[in-house]
Amino acid sequence: MDIETFLKNSGQSGYGSWVVTNPAVLDVINAHLIEENLELLKQYAVVSLLNEYAPYLSKDFVQAKAKFEQSEADDQILAWNSLKKLIEMDLGELYAKRYFSLEKKQAVEKLIQDILAAYKKKIEKFDWLSEQSRAKSIEKLNAMSVKAGYPDTDHGVLKSVSVKSSETGGSYIENVISISKVMAAKELEKATAPVNRNEWSLAPHTINAYYDPSLNDITFPAAILQAPFYDEKASYAQNLGAIGAVIAHEITHAFDENGSRYDEKGNIVNWLTDEDRQAYSERARKVVDYFGSYEVLPGIKVNGELTLGENIADLGGVSTVSAILENDLDALKEMYRSYAMIMASRQTEDELRDQLESDEHAPSKVRVNGVLSSTDGFYRAFDLKPGDGMYLPLEKRVRLY
């Protein structure tokens, strides 16, 4: 394999260095690049090209790709998925304009700032953190950037492409190729340009949220900022229990087992002192054991190690929004009910077995009952007493943040 020619033809020859993660793959490739395989390699090249562009060709190609990948073959779904992949951020811009007003964006940003302020107060009270680690934690929290609703700048590709209609001699596949070229050029530019910390990796119409440790930012696209997660007509307590718990959950990921190894700029730096890291590990072990004690199916318990990061985030999220409401018992009740509602789900036993083996999230029932049983505000709100179904003695309750 001629590496230099490959790099030149793919537009990557101008970089100062490359990271090769698996050099042994080249030995496998070279074993196939022989004269006897020439015709087969030509056929493979054609199939690879057609498979890449099949979603944008005739129906026969679309159906053939779906059959090959054993995926959903519904025409509407396939058409949507292909278009979403091609112009995802452009579609997101249309979605945001239609369903997410500037006023709604500002209201959500205000809610996020309330939660960040509450989180800062919590950090200031942590008795197991040294002053040095506490200061670094607050520094990281203060540096965290927030992305809510939609990007403030255009992230789409259509404004950079000359799309031709059929009336002006254009065709669908030609437009797809033009868009693909622009997208490829943008990706190549990223390799040598400074990191764009304002770039979104989720489109506004995506129902999801995340914390990115390498950027130290939290993202909440417009689609998750709709009912039942966020409702302009709902009370403050209801929104705190729904999207508020999600927001605080993502903030907590900045300080979980993985996030706590990145600093305020997103660099991999162990900013906790050795003593604090040891204290953290001891508390994390209690979280592992606590959630690992929950039996979801007969003889099958939650994997406390696998779900540690998400359990820490759930605990931290709910405790943070609880602190905002302090001792307003009616509001706390409203908030906890709202939290339980957004977590509610129905699953078959087979689905639960699959989740318990591979998902880093605990099953929904555990994310509600397990988390609330370790949340002090829950006891005040519902006046739980020894003997009640979700009662846990104080010494058995767990939490890191």
Coordinates of all heavy atoms in Angstrom, one line a residue, residues 125-162:
K125 N -19.4 23.0 50.3 CA -19.7 22.4 51.6 C -19.1 20.9 51.7 O -19.3 20.3 52.7 CB -21.2 22.3 51.7 CG -21.9 23.7 51.9 CD -23.4 23.6 52.0 CE -24.0 24.9 52.1 NZ -25.5 24.8 52.2
F126 N -18.5 20.4 50.6 CA -18.0 19.1 50.6 C -17.0 18.9 51.7 O -15.9 19.6 51.7 CB -17.4 18.7 49.3 CG -18.4 18.4 48.2 CD1 -18.1 18.5 46.9 CD2 -19.7 18.0 48.5 CE1 -19.0 18.3 45.9 CE2 -20.7 17.8 47.5 CZ -20.3 17.9 46.2
D127 N -17.2 18.0 52.7 CA -16.3 17.9 53.8 C -15.1 17.0 53.5 O -14.1 16.9 54.2 CB -17.0 17.4 55.0 CG -17.7 16.1 54.8 OD1 -17.6 15.5 53.7 OD2 -18.4 15.7 55.8
W128 N -15.2 16.2 52.4 CA -14.1 15.3 52.0 C -13.1 15.9 51.0 O -12.1 15.2 50.7 CB -14.7 14.0 51.5 CG -15.5 14.1 50.3 CD1 -16.8 14.4 50.2 CD2 -15.0 13.9 48.9 NE1 -17.2 14.4 48.9 CE2 -16.1 14.1 48.1 CE3 -13.8 13.6 48.4 CZ2 -16.1 14.0 46.7 CZ3 -13.7 13.4 47.0 CH2 -14.8 13.7 46.2
L129 N -13.3 17.1 50.6 CA -12.4 17.7 49.6 C -11.4 18.6 50.3 O -11.8 19.4 51.2 CB -13.2 18.5 48.6 CG -13.7 17.8 47.3 CD1 -14.4 18.9 46.4 CD2 -12.6 17.2 46.5
S130 N -10.2 18.6 49.9 CA -9.2 19.6 50.5 C -9.5 20.9 49.9 O -10.2 21.0 48.8 CB -7.8 19.1 50.1 OG -7.6 19.2 48.7
E131 N -8.9 22.0 50.5 CA -9.2 23.3 49.9 C -8.6 23.4 48.5 O -9.2 24.1 47.6 CB -8.5 24.4 50.8 CG -9.3 24.6 52.1 CD -10.8 24.9 51.9 OE1 -11.0 25.7 51.0 OE2 -11.6 24.3 52.6
Q132 N -7.5 22.7 48.2 CA -6.9 22.8 46.9 C -7.8 22.2 45.9 O -8.0 22.8 44.8 CB -5.5 22.0 46.9 CG -4.8 22.0 45.6 CD -3.5 21.2 45.6 OE1 -2.9 21.0 46.7 NE2 -3.1 20.6 44.5
S133 N -8.3 21.0 46.2 CA -9.2 20.3 45.2 C -10.5 21.0 45.1 O -11.1 21.1 44.0 CB -9.4 18.9 45.6 OG -8.2 18.1 45.6
R134 N -11.0 21.6 46.2 CA -12.3 22.4 46.2 C -12.1 23.6 45.2 O -13.0 23.9 44.4 CB -12.6 22.8 47.6 CG -14.0 23.4 47.7 CD -14.3 24.1 49.0 NE -13.7 23.4 50.1 CZ -14.3 22.4 50.7 NH1 -15.4 21.9 50.3 NH2 -13.6 21.8 51.8
A135 N -11.0 24.3 45.3 CA -10.8 25.4 44.5 C -10.7 25.0 43.0 O -11.2 25.7 42.1 CB -9.5 26.1 44.9
K136 N -10.1 23.9 42.7 CA -10.0 23.4 41.3 C -11.4 23.0 40.8 O -11.7 23.2 39.6 CB -9.0 22.2 41.2 CG -7.5 22.6 41.4 CD -7.0 23.6 40.4 CE -6.9 22.9 39.0 NZ -6.4 23.8 38.0
S137 N -12.2 22.4 41.7 CA -13.5 22.0 41.3 C -14.4 23.2 40.9 O -15.1 23.2 39.9 CB -14.2 21.2 42.5 OG -13.5 20.0 42.8
I138 N -14.3 24.2 41.7 CA -15.0 25.5 41.5 C -14.5 26.1 40.2 O -15.3 26.6 39.4 CB -15.0 26.4 42.7 CG1 -15.7 25.8 43.9 CG2 -15.5 27.8 42.3 CD1 -15.6 26.6 45.1
E139 N -13.2 26.1 40.0 CA -12.6 26.7 38.8 C -13.2 25.9 37.5 O -13.5 26.6 36.5 CB -11.1 26.5 38.8 CG -10.4 27.2 37.6 CD -8.9 27.0 37.7 OE1 -8.4 26.3 38.6 OE2 -8.2 27.6 36.8
K140 N -13.3 24.6 37.6 CA -13.8 23.8 36.5 C -15.2 24.1 36.3 O -15.7 24.3 35.1 CB -13.6 22.3 36.8 CG -14.0 21.5 35.6 CD -13.7 20.0 35.8 CE -14.1 19.2 34.5 NZ -13.7 17.8 34.7
L141 N -16.0 24.2 37.4 CA -17.4 24.5 37.2 C -17.6 25.9 36.6 O -18.5 26.1 35.7 CB -18.1 24.5 38.6 CG -19.6 24.5 38.6 CD1 -20.2 23.2 38.1 CD2 -20.1 24.8 40.0
N142 N -16.9 26.9 37.0 CA -17.0 28.3 36.5 C -16.6 28.3 35.0 O -17.1 29.2 34.3 CB -16.1 29.2 37.3 CG -16.7 29.5 38.7 OD1 -17.8 29.3 39.0 ND2 -15.8 29.9 39.6
A143 N -15.7 27.5 34.6 CA -15.3 27.5 33.2 C -16.2 26.7 32.3 O -16.0 26.7 31.1 CB -13.8 26.9 33.1
M144 N -17.1 25.9 32.8 CA -18.0 25.1 32.0 C -18.9 25.9 31.1 O -19.5 26.9 31.5 CB -18.9 24.2 33.0 CG -19.7 23.1 32.2 SD -20.7 22.2 33.4 CE -19.3 21.3 34.3
S145 N -18.9 25.6 29.8 CA -19.7 26.3 28.9 C -21.0 25.6 28.7 O -21.1 24.4 28.8 CB -19.0 26.5 27.5 OG -18.6 25.3 27.0
V146 N -22.0 26.3 28.3 CA -23.4 25.8 28.2 C -23.9 26.0 26.8 O -23.8 27.1 26.2 CB -24.3 26.5 29.2 CG1 -25.8 26.1 28.9 CG2 -23.9 26.3 30.6
K147 N -24.4 24.9 26.2 CA -25.0 24.9 24.9 C -26.5 24.5 25.0 O -26.8 23.3 25.4 CB -24.3 24.0 23.9 CG -22.9 24.5 23.7 CD -22.1 23.4 22.9 CE -20.6 23.9 22.6 NZ -19.8 22.9 22.0
A148 N -27.4 25.4 24.8 CA -28.8 25.1 25.0 C -29.6 25.5 23.8 O -29.5 26.6 23.3 CB -29.4 25.9 26.2
G149 N -30.5 24.5 23.4 CA -31.4 24.8 22.3 C -30.8 24.6 20.9 O -31.0 23.6 20.2
Y150 N -30.0 25.6 20.5 CA -29.4 25.6 19.1 C -28.2 26.5 19.1 O -28.0 27.4 20.0 CB -30.4 26.1 18.1 CG -31.0 27.5 18.5 CD1 -30.4 28.7 18.1 CD2 -32.2 27.6 19.1 CE1 -30.9 29.9 18.5 CE2 -32.8 28.8 19.5 CZ -32.1 30.0 19.1 OH -32.6 31.2 19.5
P151 N -27.3 26.3 18.2 CA -26.0 27.1 18.1 C -26.4 28.6 17.8 O -27.3 28.8 17.1 CB -25.3 26.5 16.9 CG -25.9 25.1 16.7 CD -27.3 25.2 17.1
D152 N -25.5 29.4 18.3 CA -25.7 30.9 18.0 C -25.2 31.2 16.7 O -25.5 32.3 16.1 CB -25.0 31.7 19.1 CG -25.7 31.5 20.5 OD1 -26.9 31.4 20.5 OD2 -24.9 31.5 21.5
T153 N -24.4 30.4 16.1 CA -23.9 30.6 14.7 C -24.3 29.4 13.8 O -24.6 28.3 14.3 CB -22.3 30.7 14.7 OG1 -21.8 29.5 15.3 CG2 -21.9 31.9 15.5
D154 N -24.3 29.7 12.5 CA -24.8 28.7 11.6 C -23.7 27.5 11.5 O -22.6 27.8 11.2 CB -25.0 29.3 10.2 CG -25.4 28.3 9.2 OD1 -26.1 27.4 9.5 OD2 -24.9 28.5 8.0
H155 N -24.2 26.3 11.6 CA -23.3 25.1 11.5 C -23.7 24.3 10.3 O -23.1 23.2 10.1 CB -23.5 24.2 12.8 CG -22.8 24.7 14.0 ND1 -22.5 26.0 14.2 CD2 -22.2 24.1 15.0 CE1 -21.8 26.2 15.3 NE2 -21.6 25.0 15.8
G156 N -24.6 24.8 9.5 CA -25.1 24.0 8.3 C -24.1 24.0 7.2 O -23.1 24.7 7.2
V157 N -24.4 23.2 6.1 CA -23.5 23.2 4.9 C -24.2 23.8 3.7 O -23.5 24.2 2.8 CB -23.1 21.7 4.6 CG1 -22.3 21.2 5.7 CG2 -24.3 20.9 4.3
L158 N -25.5 23.9 3.7 CA -26.2 24.3 2.5 C -25.9 25.7 2.1 O -25.9 26.0 0.9 CB -27.7 24.2 2.7 CG -28.3 22.8 2.8 CD1 -29.8 22.8 3.0 CD2 -28.0 22.0 1.6
K159 N -25.5 26.6 3.0 CA -25.1 28.0 2.6 C -23.8 28.0 1.9 O -23.4 29.0 1.2 CB -25.1 28.9 3.8 CG -26.4 29.1 4.5 CD -26.3 30.1 5.6 CE -27.7 30.4 6.2 NZ -28.4 29.3 6.8
S160 N -23.0 26.9 2.0 CA -21.7 26.8 1.3 C -21.8 26.0 0.0 O -20.7 25.8 -0.6 CB -20.7 26.2 2.3 OG -20.7 26.8 3.5
V161 N -23.0 25.5 -0.4 CA -23.1 24.7 -1.5 C -24.1 25.3 -2.5 O -25.1 25.8 -2.2 CB -23.6 23.3 -1.1 CG1 -23.7 22.3 -2.3 CG2 -22.7 22.6 -0.1
S162 N -23.7 25.1 -3.8 CA -24.6 25.5 -4.9 C -25.5 24.4 -5.2 O -25.2 23.5 -6.0 CB -23.8 26.0 -6.1 OG -24.7 26.4 -7.1

